[in-house]
Amino acid sequence: MDKLASIALNSLVVLLALAGGFYQLYLKSLLSTFGYFPDRRIQPTGNENCKAIPELQACEKLVIHQPTGLVYLACSTPDSRAHWIPTVNQLNATGASNKDYVAVYNPSTSHVTRLATPDFNNGRGLSLHGMDVVASASDPDIIFIYLVNHRVPIGDKSAKEVGADSVIEIFQTTVGGRALEHIKTVEDPIIIAPNDVIGSADGESFYFTNDHGSRVGFSRHFELLGQKHSSVGYCHIESGCKYALSKTHSSNGIASAPNGTLYVGDCISGGITILEKQVDDTLVVTDSIKTEYVLDNLAVDADGQLWAAAIPKVVLAVKHMRNPKSPSPSAAYRISINTGVNAFYGEKYRVEKAFEDNGSLMSGITSAGYDSERKILFMHGIASPHMVVCSA
């Protein structure tokens, strides 16, 4: 009996040591990034010269068309978001919207235009998430719009059993146009749990992030333990899809710089991975950037600075997505090459908090874009009650 007690005690000591090591090496940092510790205080920053645009609700992603300053947004309703956000396992298909829409906001006039959408998929409509807006390389008046469409599945099995039937839609419109023309619905086994997308200037190819390695199931939670089950995919409408980079960690927002460099945000660790395209359209990791908050969508402004929508309090953000009336603090980072004296000591990137709010103004941020020519910051969120526009 004494021998068994000794073995049990030694096993307990080993388990406690392993648990303590896991906490110190991983869990403590994770909890800090998630904003669990009480010393994480919201510091109001850059939220003085701002206004709300209530005509625009629940827009997960926004993209600035730099030549005109027009802002394109992928929008829904807060009520439907409370039921249907596949990325966070909200899979109540009876409450899902299939009437989401792309909106255009003109900051000069504050006018909002909802782009008319044809019935391109037998009434299944749009349930929008990530988006990209790209001017055509052959005609700058033509714009390609790439959309993540989380369709409700059809068939005998429920969404909670099989997840969303997610695809990437490609549309075309014109600058100042009022309607979308459907080009292609891209379906592929590689498109598992798409979150965000960046498209090409010919309307034929795109990169996208899978934020999980499966559409449903317990394995989706393994990312919280550091497992790398997400990915970045590449698709061409003629040659199909493939993994551009597999075994990434919680890949969320994706953005492209003018020189072709890609940035992918981590929605758990708060990091940004910098990627370089290869001739075969795969990607290799060249660098990374660390931030203190969980990140969502990314954008690159006309000056080459990277902007990231940041979530100070993850628990409140999750509560907000389930109940959009519940406020969730929001922040936005500006990231640039460090040209200061700290660069000599290895701080290659300058990470600045350009905006922070307790949720009373900007609640539940998922997207931030900065018009560096006109000095305007635009922010919105997947279940937010309005867009926020701030003058710098």
Side-chain angles (χ1 to χ4, degrees):
M1 195 69 177
D2 290 342
K3 186 176 181 180
L4 289 175
S6 177
I7 292 173
L9 180 61
N10 289 336
S11 299
L12 179 61
V13 170
V14 171
L15 287 173
L16 289 173
L18 290 173
F22 178 72
Y23 175 78
Q24 289 294 332
L25 294 175
Y26 181 76
L27 188 57
K28 183 178 180 180
S29 175
L30 178 66
L31 292 174
S32 177
T33 304
F34 275 28
Y36 276 101
F37 295 136
D39 58 351
R40 166 76 56 88
R41 290 185 173 87
I42 305 302
Q43 300 174 328
T45 305
N47 59 356
E48 300 87 4
N49 300 317
C50 303
K51 64 179 179 180
I53 310 299
E55 296 88 346
L56 291 165
Q57 296 187 326
C59 305
E60 199 278 340
K61 180 74 182 289
L62 64 84
V63 179
I64 301 168
H65 180 249
Q66 191 60 48
T68 61
L70 298 176
V71 182
Y72 289 75
L73 306 99
C75 303
S76 185
T77 66
D79 288 344
S80 64
R81 296 294 199 193
H83 295 277
W84 186 254
I85 305 180
T87 188
V88 292
N89 301 311
Q90 289 179 198
L91 295 169
N92 178 13
T94 59
S97 168
N98 68 348
K99 296 181 179 179
D100 290 0
Y101 60 95
V102 175
V104 183
Y105 173 74
N106 187 333
S108 298
T109 62
S110 296
H111 182 70
V112 174
T113 302
R114 292 193 183 194
L115 300 185
T117 307
D119 181 9
F120 61 95
N121 59 4
N122 298 318
R124 297 186 72 183
L126 292 172
S127 183
L128 297 180
H129 200 95
M131 175 183 71
D132 196 19
V133 177
V134 186
S136 168
S138 59
D139 184 349
D141 287 332
I142 295 176
I143 295 175
F144 297 111
I145 298 182
Y146 299 79
L147 299 167
V148 173
N149 186 10
H150 290 311
R151 304 181 301 186
V152 170
I154 54 177
D156 297 332
K157 293 188 177 181
S158 70
K160 292 184 179 179
E161 294 177 283
V162 299
D165 183 18
S166 301
V167 296
I168 306 296
E169 309 284 3
I170 306 176
F171 287 89
Q172 178 179 309
T173 187
T174 57
V175 176
R178 303 181 67 86
L180 295 174
E181 175 187 348
H182 188 247
I183 297 176
K184 182 79 173 179
T185 295
V186 182
E187 304 179 66
D188 194 276
I190 297 296
I191 304 175
I192 302 167
N195 188 293
D196 197 14
V197 58
I198 53 170
S200 65
D202 60 5
E204 296 185 348
S205 63
F206 54 87
Y207 288 92
F208 68 97
T209 56
N210 282 312
D211 52 38
H212 291 83
S214 59
R215 291 183 173 180
V216 291
F218 187 75
S219 64
R220 286 168 60 91
H221 301 291
F222 290 170
E223 298 277 337
L224 290 168
L225 301 177
Q227 295 294 309
K228 296 181 178 181
H229 291 165
S230 64
S231 58
V232 181
Y234 171 82
C235 296
H236 191 283
I237 61 175
E238 298 295 337
S239 57
C241 302
K242 65 181 180 181
Y243 288 112
L245 183 66
S246 59
K247 295 183 179 180
T248 63
H249 186 255
S250 296
S251 294
N252 193 297
I254 184 169
S256 178
N259 64 0
T261 298
L262 299 188
Y263 302 92
V264 173
D266 188 321
C267 62
I268 289 180
S269 74
I272 298 171
T273 302
I274 302 175
L275 305 168
E276 183 178 288
K277 297 179 185 177
Q278 305 300 292
V279 292
D280 62 352
D281 299 309
T282 60
L283 302 169
V284 296
V285 178
T286 61
D287 209 344
S288 63
I289 305 169
K290 177 64 179 174
T291 72
E292 63 177 346
Y293 289 172
V294 164
L295 302 180
D296 204 293
N297 286 311
L298 308 176
V300 178
D301 69 22
D303 292 337
Q305 298 179 113
L306 181 65
W307 289 78
I311 303 169
K313 300 277 188 178
V314 170
V315 171
L316 296 181
V318 172
K319 184 178 179 181
H320 167 77
M321 285 185 278
R322 293 173 179 168
N323 175 17
K325 294 181 180 179
S326 177
S328 173
S330 301
Y333 284 118
R334 179 196 292 115
I335 302 165
S336 57
I337 298 295
N338 188 5
T339 57
V341 294
N342 291 339
F344 180 78
Y345 299 100
E347 293 185 20
K348 186 175 180 180
Y349 301 97
R350 185 182 181 188
V351 180
E352 304 172 90
K353 194 183 297 177
F355 177 91
E356 188 164 45
D357 182 75
N358 64 6
S360 58
L361 172 65
M362 180 62 240
S363 182
I365 190 171
T366 57
S367 186
Y370 183 66
D371 186 335
S372 56
E373 178 183 339
R374 300 166 184 87
K375 310 299 182 186
I376 307 174
L377 175 63
F378 303 92
M379 294 170 288
H380 218 316
I382 192 167
S384 299
H386 50 246
M387 181 170 71
V388 173
V389 180
C390 301
S391 300

